[in-house]
């Protein structure tokens, strides 16, 4: 094709048809430009199509992870609420004269000690972020992804750190003062009368109650609301049924 155009140009020059040569040269340049534009457009179309496929697949995987996390969060909420009920009763009892000990008190003691946390799935989001969040074309959806995974999930990580710290304190105390320990379920005091007069233990119980109430009433509610918003945006964007 290049040789063909070159021959035409040479013929025009030989015949001394300069004006026609100039017009032909301009036309040839325009033709080349059009060809380049078409090639670039085709390449861009292929790239956009590839990005669109990746975008949908990435959001679909993130959506599945959100569903699992949401279900785990609801289960954790129910278990924590059950623990709060028991700790609330224990906190109230500790402010009064010690009742006669019975094994029915063991579930109240057990509720204080136990790790209440679950690990959230961030791998699919991190993969997307590595490839660029700008691949998500919908601005509201991209913003909600950042809110959930950069803010809410980070808050969950901080709760995890606090849970480790609290349970380290509880661990040493419970190993020293209780037996038959079953995390979150039951614990039998070694010296019931001493325990009831221990202001340190009363402070532990009060703190545990305050912290768990804050997590349930503030953090978990906000987690769920933001996760619900994100799931609805993904459902609408990639038409999940």
């Amino acid at each position: 094709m290049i040789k063909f155009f070159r021959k035409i140009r040479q013929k025009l020059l030989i015949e001394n048809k300069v004006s026609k040569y100039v017009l032909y040269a301009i036309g040839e340049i325009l033709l080349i430009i059009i060809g380049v534009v078409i090639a670039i457009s085709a390449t861009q179309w292929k790239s956009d199509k590839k990005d669109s496929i990746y975008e949908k697949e990435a959001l679909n995987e993130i959506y599945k992870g959100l569903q699992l996390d949401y279900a785990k969060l609801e289960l954790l909420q129910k278990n924590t609420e059950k623990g709060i009920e028991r700790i609330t009763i224990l906190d109230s009892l500790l402010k009064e004269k010690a009742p006669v000990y019975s094994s029915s008190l063991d579930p109240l003691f057990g509720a204080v000690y136990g790790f209440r946390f679950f690990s959230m799935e961030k791998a699919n989001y991190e993969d997307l972020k590595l490839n660029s969040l700008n691949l998500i074309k919908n601005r509201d959806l991209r913003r909600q992804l950042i809110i959930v995974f950069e803010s809410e999930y980070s808050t969950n990580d901080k709760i995890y750190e606090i849970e480790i710290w609290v349970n380290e304190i509880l661990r040493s105390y419970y190993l020293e003062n209780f037996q038959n320990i079953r995390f979150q379920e039951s614990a039998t005091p070694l010296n019931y009368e001493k325990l009831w007069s221990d202001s340190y233990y009363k402070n532990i119980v009060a703190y545990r109650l305050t912290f768990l109430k804050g997590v349930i009433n503030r953090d978990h509610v906000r987690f769920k609301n933001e996760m619900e918003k994100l799931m609805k945006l993904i459902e609408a964007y990639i038409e999940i049924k």
Side-chain angles (χ1 to χ4, degrees):
M1 183 64 73
I2 295 173
K3 289 181 178 180
F4 175 74
F5 288 137
R6 186 182 299 148
K7 286 181 179 179
I8 293 176
R9 289 198 307 273
Q10 289 173 348
K11 182 180 179 182
L12 290 171
L13 286 172
I14 291 170
E15 294 175 356
N16 200 26
K17 296 178 180 180
V18 177
S19 60
K20 287 186 178 180
Y21 174 83
V22 172
L23 290 173
Y24 177 80
I26 293 172
E28 187 177 330
I29 291 170
L30 289 174
L31 188 62
I32 292 172
I33 291 173
I34 291 171
V36 171
V37 170
I38 291 173
I40 292 174
S41 298
T43 301
Q44 186 62 48
W45 179 82
K46 290 180 181 178
S47 178
D48 290 345
K49 186 176 181 181
K50 182 180 178 181
D51 288 347
S52 181
I53 292 172
Y54 174 79
E55 177 191 35
K56 186 172 182 179
E57 290 176 347
L59 288 173
N60 191 50
E61 291 304 311
I62 287 173
Y63 182 82
K64 291 177 183 177
L66 284 167
Q67 285 184 309
L68 291 173
D69 282 349
Y70 192 87
K72 288 189 288 186
L73 182 55
E74 285 199 313
L75 180 60
L76 176 63
Q77 241 185 328
K78 290 179 181 177
N79 291 336
T80 304
E81 285 170 353
K82 180 180 177 182
I84 287 174
E85 290 176 3
R86 291 178 176 178
I87 299 171
T88 299
I89 295 171
L90 177 60
D91 184 56
S92 297
L93 289 174
L94 287 170
K95 295 173 183 176
E96 307 294 336
K97 183 180 178 180
V100 176
Y101 172 77
S102 73
S103 59
S104 63
L105 292 172
D106 289 358
L108 306 183
F109 294 124
V112 178
Y113 179 32
F115 199 66
R116 291 179 172 89
F117 174 82
F118 78 98
S119 178
M120 289 179 161
E121 176 57 57
K122 293 182 66 175
N124 292 315
Y125 170 76
E126 293 298 333
D127 286 344
L128 174 61
K129 189 168 71 170
L130 188 64
N131 283 284
S132 177
L133 286 173
N134 288 327
L135 290 172
I136 306 302
K137 300 178 184 67
N138 185 287
R139 184 179 298 176
D140 292 336
L141 177 52
R142 188 167 61 244
R143 178 177 176 275
Q144 192 62 26
L145 278 166
I146 293 170
I147 289 173
V148 170
F149 288 100
E150 299 292 346
S151 178
E152 299 304 331
Y153 277 39
S154 293
T155 299
N156 188 61
D157 291 340
K158 292 176 183 176
I159 293 173
Y160 168 72
E161 292 172 2
I162 295 173
E163 276 290 282
I164 290 177
W165 173 71
V166 170
N167 278 281
E168 279 299 311
I169 294 173
L170 290 172
R171 180 175 179 272
S172 59
Y173 188 91
Y174 266 68
L175 289 177
E176 184 178 342
N177 294 280
F178 289 88
Q179 61 183 348
N180 304 323
I181 301 170
R182 289 188 293 134
F183 300 140
Q184 301 182 30
E185 295 297 328
S186 181
T188 304
L190 293 173
N191 189 326
Y192 177 68
E193 288 74 18
K194 178 184 175 183
L195 180 71
W196 210 265
S197 62
D198 188 351
S199 59
Y200 180 73
Y201 182 67
K202 292 178 181 180
N203 288 336
I204 286 177
V205 172
Y207 174 81
R208 192 67 173 138
L209 180 60
T210 301
F211 175 73
L212 291 179
K213 280 184 175 180
V215 170
I216 285 291
N217 297 328
R218 180 188 63 245
D219 298 316
H220 285 181
V221 170
R222 192 184 63 252
F223 285 172
K224 290 176 69 176
N225 287 339
E226 297 298 346
M227 291 168 75
E228 286 170 1
K229 288 180 186 177
L230 180 54
M231 286 191 286
K232 287 178 181 178
L233 283 170
I234 295 175
E235 288 170 357
Y237 189 63
I238 63 176
E239 298 179 348
I240 294 177
K241 297 181 180 179

